[in-house]
Amino acid sequence: MNCREALEQPKPENPPALPIVLVAAAALIDEQGRVLIAQRPEGKSMSGLWEFPGGKIEPGETPEFSLMRELEEELGIETRECCFSPIGFTSHSYETFHLLMPLFVCRIWKGEPKALEHQDLCWVNPRDLYNYEMLEADVPLISQLGS
């Protein structure tokens, strides 16, 4: 349902309280302008879906520091906080939690990304991201990449 249709409906009640999960994600963009997406591994929730790499922000971490840690753990690449530029965020309710996730662009890193914790990695032209089965929360972020 789009916003115009929703405004024609009765005002909704406040949804039940869900824990808020803070996650940071990165759109790694290579020299050809392609974006790296990662396929969630077997055995994890939402297995097989594609996502922007990143992860939970731990207590005391900034989103940028969280990305430094997560990208090293997940992809084996090295970054610094100054390598990230925020370009958007998403706010999305799943069944058991509400996700808040800033998306950062990163164009410079050290090392070659490897699927250390994912099933697969794929470099994709931003306009082609809609052809991949992405996590629901990640889909609105695609337009932030200027596709």
Side-chain angles (χ1 to χ4, degrees):
M1 175 180 329
N2 67 37
C3 189
R4 288 192 192 286
E5 294 167 342
L7 286 169
E8 297 300 322
Q9 303 297 318
K11 186 176 178 181
E13 294 183 24
N14 192 34
L18 293 172
I20 294 178
V21 176
L22 299 175
V23 171
L28 296 173
I29 301 178
D30 70 7
E31 292 176 356
Q32 290 80 43
R34 299 174 303 171
V35 179
L36 184 72
I37 56 173
Q39 191 175 34
R40 292 183 62 81
E42 295 289 332
K44 279 203 170 179
S45 67
M46 298 175 257
S47 171
L49 298 179
W50 293 89
E51 65 182 351
F52 296 108
K56 288 183 183 171
I57 301 170
E58 299 295 339
E61 284 184 331
T62 63
E64 296 87 347
F65 188 86
S66 171
L67 282 174
M68 283 176 40
R69 177 182 52 75
E70 289 284 351
L71 295 178
E72 187 169 14
E73 291 172 4
E74 293 182 1
L75 304 175
I77 62 172
E78 194 173 330
T79 59
R80 296 291 182 268
E81 289 177 281
C82 61
C83 297
F84 301 108
S85 297
I87 62 162
F89 80 96
T90 190
S91 178
H92 183 80
S93 288
Y94 285 104
E95 190 173 315
T96 58
F97 65 95
H98 187 87
L99 178 82
L100 286 178
M101 182 172 72
L103 178 67
F104 293 80
V105 167
C106 180
R107 296 178 185 275
I108 299 172
W109 59 87
K110 189 190 294 186
E112 189 63 36
K114 297 177 268 321
L116 301 177
E117 295 185 5
H118 291 90
Q119 286 187 52
D120 201 5
L121 301 177
C122 190
W123 289 101
V124 181
N125 189 305
R127 70 178 172 270
D128 296 330
L129 286 168
Y130 292 106
N131 297 329
Y132 289 80
E133 193 174 355
M134 303 280 291
L135 292 176
E136 288 180 37
D138 288 29
V139 172
L141 296 170
I142 295 171
S143 65
Q144 301 298 309
L145 297 170
S147 56

